[in-house]
């Protein structure tokens, strides 16, 4: 009878390592099972020198192993050392293929027939555990690999990259510098990849740097003896089979979520959503008693969390109840909440009061709370005010909050415990639509945009609740301020959220229709066909509505509404709305007033179609999603590049804008510079969450940028680039008089290259500096201006 | 001869691979056609593009076989000499001539030129596309110009000022001296020393001192007696505060009215009541009536001219002369020895040469024709001398004594001895009594004639005559004539500049019956034509048109007040 | 929205300069100096001081323009004032001279100042004229892309030419070598690009090929054409290739001249500064000499 371990740890990721090490430290009999010859395969597979982060840095590390942010090698080194120190019992090349419970212990079957018995199993296999292979003969030949550490290792080879994802593209492009690279794509486009990567690969193909097979699958891979190339691949291309001799195949087909395996262990998932993770108790125990799940598989992708869980799970198994690592943090957060006893109670209270947060697990809530703040503002304190550019989300735990819906009359509606606010800016990405003032005994949870979005996207319930509230409030604020919520139920019920891709048509001129669209994300252009050509009449940013004309007049649309960018609208049913109009006579009047204004504006635009062309041109340049864009009137621009110089000089030597680049229509030039999008693409995946939006709307990169370059790739306008810290320049006079040192706009590093690790830089609208953006301030001729989309129509008219 | 041809291919990470081959030929042909010694696979290379020919002494000749030429050491050429180290560029290829290793006579090294990786813009990348990238520069010229102008315009002259003798050298040389500082043409009179600025500008950064001026203008009188009129305004002014030079050939003397009016518009205030002068600041608006200087005599007869305003009623001239102008310049004329004669002013009043004053009127030339001094009808052309009272009596006695002794004088009142004729040489035959009678007659006769001359028909006509004594002591005195020589000693009037006028237009002599009339016209007469500085309809006349500034000649500027 | 430096704040500085000039003119005719009007009268000194201060301040523009954290007014305001007040110097300085000119440092300074101001006026003209022209000329492509296209066309030409025959190939090579964009000051200012001759040559060759197709070959036919004919056997496809080449070349030529024009216009906008600035400093030198000398020999 083989030895029975107390704990078998499956998978030597951060979580597993930490668990095993803790077990070793505390003398618990244990075994760590790892498929590979090395530990922590995922991180081992990171590209050479990749910077590994220790997020969230507020969270204390709790593990026998050291872990600090640093290059991959350092991290791995530290762990190997730690493992060795604690004499951890590691079985390499033990790929567990089955776990079954036998009485009070588990039998782990290892590929190749071995068996291991343990009382408890800690499943820490993560998600990346095993890469998807070619699934064809020859998939394991020596020259076939599924990762790429250092593209520079290979030169003058013929390399075939298989896959159409970001990894594949990045590898292909970087390899193409020194090799003949062929990329094989199962489909006919690279839609799966990030825009930046897609653009990159398409360009590479364009330039002939990379060859490509579209709609091509792999038949088989053969090794060739004696030939100069070690291998040969047979492809099924649309026009028959093709053979290619090559030195190397790099397949980046992603990883299989190990769900099948996990379920085979008897663990149940809450739903079929591929991203969903198994349900576990606060002690990380799954529905199978004695089988614990930690790490990415448990929904904790961050290394530090995983390591902490490794530590904790061992403690739990040993039966002592450790408080979670984030306990002290949470405690400090809840501290000043009235009637605070324990974190647990507080969390329970939160979930009881805030129905929005009811559907999530306590662990999720803990994480949620880690990012959030508990605020107890004194009555009358401004939480945020109209037109602030904050986009945090507030939930009311206790007390009440007054929202000033009408600045003139100062009329407010008050929200009570359990409700939430701030979702408008969160969703539309625009300025605050109202001022929020704390009422009696208000206890709020303020949650940053990123965390909130994560929650919304992972838990449907949350999304639904928020959407409903959003619709209700929009209708209230835009149409029927005085009508109580319940009276609006019918129209809210009839309202639906519509999604449009850029260029989609909401409704056509002349067609009949009576629904109203409230733009909640993105923006629209209103156009009309005059003399056979489309003339843009106006531009409708988020927060406004279209289509009411049809309701007031006859039912035919007077113009065409198009989505300028990916847009979400709330579609209000015409009938319900007409009912509303009947109930609200003055609303009708108000709409008619606006109607007249718009009609007038439209007429003036029709009078001067050029203006419309300018709008449509600018919209085509993505002004649609901008909140503030730099425009240059080339009739005034004398190409002195003082704007660039100013930018460089005010941002230690690197200009964040490129005047020359960028398109021009008539005399309007859109230089390459940040538009401070409503939903900044750069924010999408910023590992350290270093990109923020300042109260005045500037999207800026904080110092904790780690230079991963994601934002650079994600920005569709190419306005972000990586740059190192530049040396100080000598005074301007020294240059003016004696030409000492590099002049304005010249690279401060001068001849010698700038050293120091690179960080992402982008326009921050000179938010540090008084007097507004340097580029505009330093334009001698008044060619450069910054405008926000709201001003677009008036701008267009001013030009023509 | 044996050539080494080394082809270099760059690999990633700077690894470099050679491949050598050797060719035996006198010259190498480079091109894209297979037959070439050096085969360059690049469309930018012609089939037979160039030839490298080895000359003696490891020199080479590169010759282009096509009109496009080859780049040798950066220059596009048809043919060029080259040596070890020369660079030949053909298309993307860089061909370097290197030192042949042992066993070879010559060697070239072929590599892809740096630009090869980026063939596109490389062709232009080395060329400047903005003026900023050309040789043009702002800073250099700016400094050069700045220093140039500063040096020439300032440094040199200043140096000249401080280094003794340098300024003269500079002036002599074509180099710019301090003369370039001359801000305007000097006044004509100053030209002869104008070359040397330091004549006036004696000290740097100090205004021109009066010493410099009075060095020449030694005799310039002061304006007023400093004892009374040591007014600060006067004391502190410098010559140059009125006399500003470098403003053209003339105009060194101030003509403007303000020069005087500053003080003279209210003299009592400005002179603390010490002056007797009336205020004046504009000829039209505010100027007192003219004063003339008239002859006058003190208690004991000393000459004391008096000033009288032309409008005062004390105005009369007593010149001891009786001369009615009206009679003399009467239009119908005046009785003269040969009938009527019409006189005009010019017959008596003739201007000095230069037209300043008038010449004195002379009896001999101007009166004598009519006013003869004859006394004896029997000798009509005998006359008594003019202006010599004593001689007149003596001459009469002598004359009549002579006639009495000669005898033959026709006069019934005379004794016979005077009347009877004598024979020649019979004088001595006259008796004592006869002789006495004759002389007695002669004496009385001359008395009567004298009396008649002085008090009758001659002297007293024009002159004031007084008689004294009786009998033998009888005598006459004629008071001396004294006309005012200069009427306006404090102003300047010249007839010379008024020749366009007739005399009558100012002096109405025809109306004047009495010789004590003053015929000098008053201010109104002048104002008929002359006006103040800013009078647009008349001759604009400022103070200095008639008056002088430097008039107080008891004090000389040289001993000057200023500074 | 866009507010040009000329119209800045409703011609604020134009009116300011206007008042200044008007004021000085009025003063000039009102004041009656004892001697001829000159720099030495009280008005002379006043105008002189104003002028000197203005000149110093105007020179500071270059510094202000490059101190990007400087918030003393907007740069646009500065330029506006720079232009208008700079222009007003003409009046102020001229009145300061009292029309007394001569062969002296003072007049030199005056002349230099006039040159600076006038060159500045040219600058204004350039700034008003060329931006629009540049935009029009570029037709919303960038110079880089044009250059790249030219380079690509070159490659194309060579390929085609190579298929015709080596003479043509050489000829094209030559034209490529001769194509000179950018370059020295003068070639920039006068928009030189050596891209023409190739087109002409190809044209005439094309004609030759045509001729051959018409009249029978004779002994004395031009070598060039002989070769073309010899290569092709029948001139037909040759002339086709040549026509193709011609198209490429003329496309390239038009691009080349576009770029040249672009460079030229850019240069026109820059060139004047290379007078304006150095002469400004010449002026500063002369001005110092003028002021010091006047008080040196007071």
């Amino acid at each position: 009878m083989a030895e029975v371990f107390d704990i078998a740890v499956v998978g030597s990721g951060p979580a597993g390592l930490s668990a095993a090490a803790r077990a070793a430290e505390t003398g618990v009999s244990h075994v760590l099972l790892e498929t590979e010859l090395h530990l922590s395969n995922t991180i081992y597979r990171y590209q050479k020198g990749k910077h590994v982060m220790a997020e969230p840095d507020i969270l204390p590390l709790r593990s026998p192993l050291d872990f600090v942010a640093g290059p991959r090698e350092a991290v791995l080194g530290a762990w190997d050392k730690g493992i060795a120190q604690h004499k951890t019992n590691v079985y390499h090349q033990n790929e567990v293929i089955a776990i079954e419970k036998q009485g009070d212990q588990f039998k782990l079957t290892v590929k190749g027939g071995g068996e291991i018995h343990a009382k408890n199993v800690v499943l820490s296999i993560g998600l990346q555990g095993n890469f998807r292979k070619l699934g064809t003969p020859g998939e394991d030949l020596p020259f076939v690999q599924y990762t790429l550490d250092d593209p520079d290792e290979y030169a003058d080879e013929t390399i075939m990259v298989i896959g159409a994802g970001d990894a594949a593209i990045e590898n292909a492009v970087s390899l193409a510098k020194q090799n003949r690279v062929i990329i094989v794509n199962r489909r006919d486009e690279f839609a799966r990849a990030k825009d930046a990567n897609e653009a990159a690969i398409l360009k590479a193909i364009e330039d002939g740097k990379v060859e490509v097979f579209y709609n091509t699958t792999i038949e088989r891979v053969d090794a060739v003896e004696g030939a100069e190339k070690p291998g040969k691949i047979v492809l099924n291309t649309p026009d028959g089979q093709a053979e290619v001799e090559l030195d190397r195949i790099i397949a980046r087909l992603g990883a299989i979520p190990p769900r099948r395996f996990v379920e085979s262990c008897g663990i149940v998932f809450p739903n079929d959503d591929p991203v969903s993770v198994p349900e576990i108790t606060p002690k990380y125990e799954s529905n199978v008693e004695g089988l614990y799940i930690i790490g990415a598989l448990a929904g904790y992708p961050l290394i530090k969390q995983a390591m902490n869980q490794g530590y904790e799970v061992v403690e739990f198994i040993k039966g002592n109840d450790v408080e979670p690592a984030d306990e002290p943090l949470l405690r400090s957060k809840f501290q000043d909440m009235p009637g605070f006893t324990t974190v647990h109670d507080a969390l329970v209270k939160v979930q009881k009061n805030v129905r929005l947060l009811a559907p999530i697990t306590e662990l999720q809530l803990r994480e949620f709370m880690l990012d959030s703040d508990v605020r107890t503002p004194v009555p009358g304190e401004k939480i945020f005010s109209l037109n602030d550019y904050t986009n945090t989300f507030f939930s009311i735990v206790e007390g009440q909050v007054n929202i000033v819906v009408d600045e003139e009359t100062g009329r407010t509606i008050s929200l009570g415990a359990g409700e939430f606010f701030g979702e408008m800016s969160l969703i539309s990405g625009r300025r605050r639509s109202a001022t929020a003032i704390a009422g009696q005994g208000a206890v709020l949870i303020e949650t940053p945009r990123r965390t909130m979005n994560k929650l919304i996207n992972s838990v449907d319930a949350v999304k639904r609740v928020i959407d409903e509230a959003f619709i209700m409030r929009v209708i209230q604020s835009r149409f029927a301020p005085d009508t109580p919520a319940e009276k609006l139920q019918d129209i809210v019920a009839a309202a639906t959220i519509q999604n449009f891709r850029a260029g989609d048509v909401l409704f056509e001129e002349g067609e009949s229709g009576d629904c109203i669209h409230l733009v909640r994300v993105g923006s629209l252009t209103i156009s009309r066909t005059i003399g056979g050509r489309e003339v843009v009449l106006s531009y409708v940013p988020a927060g406004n509505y279209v289509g009411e004309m049809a309701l007031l007049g006859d039912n035919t649309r007077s113009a065409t509404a198009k989505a300028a960018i990916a847009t979400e609208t709330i579609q209000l049913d015409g009938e319900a709305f007409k009912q509303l109009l009947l109930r609200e006579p003055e609303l009708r009047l108000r709409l008619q007033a606006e109607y007249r204004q718009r009609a007038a504006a439209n007429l003036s635009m029709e009078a001067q179609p050029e203006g419309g062309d300018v709008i449509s041109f600018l919209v085509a340049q993505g002004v649609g999603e901008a909140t503030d864009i730099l425009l240059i009137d080339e009739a005034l621009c004398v190409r002195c590049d003082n704007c660039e110089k100013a930018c460089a000089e005010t941002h230690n030597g690197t200009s964040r804008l490129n005047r020359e680049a960028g398109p021009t229509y008539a005399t309007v030039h859109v230089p390459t510079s940040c538009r401070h999008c409503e939903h900044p693409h750069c924010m999408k995946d910023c590992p350290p969450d270093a990109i923020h939006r300042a109260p005045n709307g500037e999207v800026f990169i904080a110092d904790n940028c780690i230079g991963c370059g994601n934002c650079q790739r994600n920005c569709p306008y190419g306005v972000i680039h990586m740059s190192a810290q530049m040396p100080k320049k000598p005074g301007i006079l020294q240059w003016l008089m004696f030409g000492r040192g590099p002049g304005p706009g010249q690279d401060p590093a001068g001849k010698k290259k700038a050293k120091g690790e690179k960080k992402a830089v982008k326009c921050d609208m000179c938010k540090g500096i008084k007097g507004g953006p340097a580029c505009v301030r330093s334009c001698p001729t008044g060619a450069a201006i910054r405008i926000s989309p709201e001003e677009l129509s008036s701008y267009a008219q001013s030009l023509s | 001869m044996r050539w080494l041809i080394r082809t270099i291919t760059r690999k990633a990470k700077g690894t470099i691979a050679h491949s050598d081959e050797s060719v035996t030929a006198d010259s190498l042909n480079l091109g894209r056609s297979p037959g070439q010694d050096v085969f360059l696979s690049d469309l930018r290379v012609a089939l037979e593009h160039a030839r490298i020919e080895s000359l003696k002494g490891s020199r080479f000749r590169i010759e282009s076989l096509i009109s496009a030429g080859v780049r040798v050491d950066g220059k596009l050429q048809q043919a060029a000499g080259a040596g070890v180290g020369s660079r030949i560029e053909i298309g993307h290829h860089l061909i370097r001539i290197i030192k042949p290793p042992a066993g070879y006579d010559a060697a070239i090294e072929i590599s892809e030129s740096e630009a090869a990786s980026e063939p596109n813009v490389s062709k232009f990348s080395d060329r400047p596309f903005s003026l900023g990238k050309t040789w043009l520069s702002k800073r250099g010229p700016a400094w050069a110009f700045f220093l140039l102008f500063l040096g020439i315009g300032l440094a040199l002259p200043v140096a000249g000022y401080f280094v003794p003798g340098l300024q003269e050298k500079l002036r002599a040389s074509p180099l710019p001296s301090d003369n370039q500082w001359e801000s305007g043409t000097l006044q004509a009179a100053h030209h002869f020393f104008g070359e040397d600025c330091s004549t006036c500008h004696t000290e740097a950064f100090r205004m021109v001192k009066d010493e410099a001026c009075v060095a020449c203008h030694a005799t310039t009188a002061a304006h007023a007696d400093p004892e009374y009129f040591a007014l600060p305004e006067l004391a502190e002014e410098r010559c140059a505060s009125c006399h500003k030079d470098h403003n053209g050939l003339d105009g060194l003397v101030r003509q403007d009215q303000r020069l005087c009016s500053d003080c003279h518009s209210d003299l009592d205030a400005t002179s603390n009541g010490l002056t007797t002068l009336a205020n004046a600041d504009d000829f039209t608006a505010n100027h007192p009536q003219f004063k003339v200087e008239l002859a006058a005599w003190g208690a004991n007869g000393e000459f004391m001219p008096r000033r009288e305003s032309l409008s005062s009623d004390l105005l009369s001239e007593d010149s001891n002369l009786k001369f009615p102008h009206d009679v003399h310049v009467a239009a119908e004329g005046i009785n003269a020895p040969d009938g009527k004669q019409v006189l005009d002013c010019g017959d008596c009043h003739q201007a000095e040469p230069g037209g300043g004053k008038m010449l004195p009127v002379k009896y001999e030339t101007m009166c004598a024709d009519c006013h003869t001094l004859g006394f004896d009808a029997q000798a009509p052309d005998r006359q008594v001398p003019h202006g010599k009272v004593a001689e007149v009596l003596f001459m009469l006695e002598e004359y009549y004594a002579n006639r009495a002794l000669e005898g033959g004088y026709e006069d019934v009142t005379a004794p016979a001895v005077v009347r009877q004729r004598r024979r020649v040489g019979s004088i001595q035959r006259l008796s004592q009594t006869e002789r006495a009678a004759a002389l007695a007659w002669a004496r009385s006769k001359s008395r009567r004639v004298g009396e008649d001359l002085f008090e009758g028909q001659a002297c007293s006509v024009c002159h004031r005559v007084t008689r004294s004594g009786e009998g033998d002591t009888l005598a006459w005195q004629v008071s001396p004539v004294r006309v005012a020589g200069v009427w306006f000693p404090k102003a300047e009037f010249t007839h010379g500049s008024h020749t366009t006028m007739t005399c009558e237009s100012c002096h109405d002599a025809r109306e004047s019956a009495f010789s004590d009339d003053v015929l000098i016209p008053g201010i109104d007469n002048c104002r008929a034509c002359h006006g103040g500085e800013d009078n647009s309809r008349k001759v604009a006349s400022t103070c200095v048109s008639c008056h002088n500034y430097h008039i107080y000649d008891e004090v000389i500027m040289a001993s000057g007040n200023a500074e | 929205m866009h507010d040009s430096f000329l119209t800045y704040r409703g011609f604020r500085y134009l009116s300011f300069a206007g008042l200044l000039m008007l004021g000085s003119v009025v003063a000039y005719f009102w004041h009656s100096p004892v001697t001829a009007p000159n720099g030495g009268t009280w008005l002379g000194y006043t105008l002189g001081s104003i002028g000197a201060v203005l000149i110093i301040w105007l020179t500071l523009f270059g510094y202000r323009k490059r101190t990007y954290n400087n918030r003393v007014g907007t740069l646009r305001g500065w330029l506006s004032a720079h232009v208008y007040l700079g222009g007003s110097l003409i009046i102020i300085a001229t009145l300061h001279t009292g029309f007394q000119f001569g062969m002296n440092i003072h007049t030199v300074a005056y002349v230099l100042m006039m040159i600076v101001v006038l060159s500045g006026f040219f600058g204004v003209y350039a700034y008003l004229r060329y931006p629009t022209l540049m935009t029009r000329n570029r037709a919303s492509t960038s110079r880089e892309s044009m250059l790249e296209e030219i380079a690509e066309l070159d490659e194309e030409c060579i390929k085609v030419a190579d298929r015709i025959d080596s003479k043509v190939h050489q000829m094209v090579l030559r034209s490529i070598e001769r194509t000179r964009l950018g370059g020295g000051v003068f070639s920039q200012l006068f928009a030189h690009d050596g891209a023409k001759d190739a087109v002409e040559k190809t044209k005439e060759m094309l004609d030759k090929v045509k001729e051959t197709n018409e009249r029978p070959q004779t002994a004395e036919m031009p070598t060039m054409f002989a070769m073309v004919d010899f290569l092709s056997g029948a001139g037909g496809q040759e002339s086709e290739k040549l026509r193709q080449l011609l198209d490429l070349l003329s496309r390239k030529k038009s691009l080349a001249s576009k770029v040249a024009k672009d460079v030229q216009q850019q240069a026109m906008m820059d060139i004047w500064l290379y007078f304006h600035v150095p002469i400004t400093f010449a002026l500063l030198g002369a001005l110092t000499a003028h002021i010091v000398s006047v008080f040196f020999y007071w």
Side-chain angles (χ1 to χ4, degrees), chain A residues 100-180:
Chain A
E100 61 189 291
K101 183 143 192 187
Q102 298 177 330
D104 63 346
Q105 61 173 243
F106 292 87
K107 172 165 139 257
L108 295 81
T109 318
V110 177
K111 191 171 189 183
E115 273 187 17
I116 288 154
H117 297 271
K119 297 205 187 68
N120 301 291
V121 173
V122 174
L123 201 51
S124 60
I125 56 179
L127 298 173
Q128 287 287 314
N130 46 354
F131 296 95
R132 176 182 289 160
K133 301 206 168 170
L134 290 176
T136 63
E139 64 179 11
D140 292 325
L141 283 166
F143 57 85
V144 180
Q145 64 190 56
Y146 296 93
T147 61
L148 174 65
D149 297 358
D150 178 5
D152 296 345
E153 274 172 18
Y154 312 102
D156 303 333
E157 291 190 355
T158 303
I159 303 177
M160 182 166 287
V161 177
I162 295 163
D166 289 310
I169 292 174
E170 281 162 25
N171 291 170
V173 171
S174 51
L175 283 167
K177 286 197 210 95
Q178 299 178 19
N179 304 280
R180 170 172 181 230

Side-chain angles (χ1 to χ4, degrees), chain A residues 50-67:
Chain A
K50 179 173 163 66
H51 181 89
V52 183
M53 291 156 299
E55 291 290 309
D57 34 13
I58 41 166
L59 192 68
L61 176 68
R62 182 197 267 173
S63 161
L65 303 176
D66 313 352
F67 172 54

Side-chain angles (χ1 to χ4, degrees), chain A residues 634-635 637-639 642 645-646 649-650 660 732 735 744 770 777-778 780-783 785 794-795 798, chain C residues 1-5 63 65-71 75-76 79 127 131-132 134-135 138 140 144 266 269:
Chain A
E634 287 204 331
C637 173
V638 299
R639 280 75 166 171
N642 210 35
K645 293 174 190 162
E649 291 313 297
T650 41
E660 185 86 56
I732 177 67
W735 177 80
K770 281 204 273 349
R777 265 195 301 118
S778 65
T781 62
I785 58 167
S794 54
Y795 174 71
S798 79
Chain C
M1 289 280 192
H2 298 283
D3 183 8
S4 153
F5 64 95
Y63 174 74
K65 180 182 164 203
R66 292 174 178 78
T67 48
Y68 299 103
N69 287 326
N70 190 326
R71 272 187 306 286
L75 188 59
R76 194 152 42 97
L79 180 57
Y127 278 10
T132 342
M134 273 183 95
T135 317
R138 281 196 185 180
S140 66
E144 280 58 36
Q266 176 88 61
M269 272 198 295

Side-chain angles (χ1 to χ4, degrees), chain A residues 15-244:
Chain A
L17 280 176
S18 173
R22 178 60 182 167
E25 194 178 34
T26 53
V28 182
S29 80
H30 67 282
V31 63
L32 173 57
L33 302 168
E34 169 57 51
T35 315
E36 302 294 332
L37 266 170
H38 45 258
L39 295 172
S40 187
N41 190 35
T42 306
I43 296 174
Y44 187 88
R45 289 289 178 219
Y46 278 179
Q47 237 183 40
K48 196 167 163 198
K50 179 173 163 66
H51 181 89
V52 183
M53 291 156 299
E55 291 290 309
D57 34 13
I58 41 166
L59 192 68
L61 176 68
R62 182 197 267 173
S63 161
L65 303 176
D66 313 352
F67 172 54
V68 287
R72 151 186 175 275
E73 290 72 13
V75 171
L76 290 174
W79 289 346
D80 292 343
K81 204 159 121 286
I83 291 296
Q85 256 175 18
H86 298 104
K87 311 219 165 22
T88 316
N89 173 25
V90 188
Y91 291 8
H92 281 292
Q93 288 181 297
N94 275 270
E95 180 178 1
V96 176
I97 51 175
I99 303 174
E100 61 189 291
K101 183 143 192 187
Q102 298 177 330
D104 63 346
Q105 61 173 243
F106 292 87
K107 172 165 139 257
L108 295 81
T109 318
V110 177
K111 191 171 189 183
E115 273 187 17
I116 288 154
H117 297 271
K119 297 205 187 68
N120 301 291
V121 173
V122 174
L123 201 51
S124 60
I125 56 179
L127 298 173
Q128 287 287 314
N130 46 354
F131 296 95
R132 176 182 289 160
K133 301 206 168 170
L134 290 176
T136 63
E139 64 179 11
D140 292 325
L141 283 166
F143 57 85
V144 180
Q145 64 190 56
Y146 296 93
T147 61
L148 174 65
D149 297 358
D150 178 5
D152 296 345
E153 274 172 18
Y154 312 102
D156 303 333
E157 291 190 355
T158 303
I159 303 177
M160 182 166 287
V161 177
I162 295 163
D166 289 310
I169 292 174
E170 281 162 25
N171 291 170
V173 171
S174 51
L175 283 167
K177 286 197 210 95
Q178 299 178 19
N179 304 280
R180 170 172 181 230
V181 174
I182 310 162
I183 189 163
V184 176
N185 184 350
R186 222 168 59 259
R187 296 196 266 102
D188 57 357
E189 57 178 357
F190 290 90
R192 240 175 66 222
K194 290 174 190 156
D195 305 355
N197 280 334
E198 183 180 8
I201 187 69
L202 290 179
K203 173 141 184 19
I205 294 165
E206 186 80 4
D207 304 350
K209 294 200 177 72
V210 173
E211 299 158 63
V212 63
F213 285 101
Y214 284 114
N215 299 319
T216 299
T217 57
I218 293 138
E219 177 69 22
R220 64 172 193 285
V221 182
D222 308 330
V224 193
E225 298 312 321
E228 63 183 298
K229 304 265 181 223
K232 183 177 95 204
I233 188 167
V234 183
L235 303 169
N236 300 319
T237 71
D239 29 354
Q241 286 210 338
E243 289 192 2
V244 182

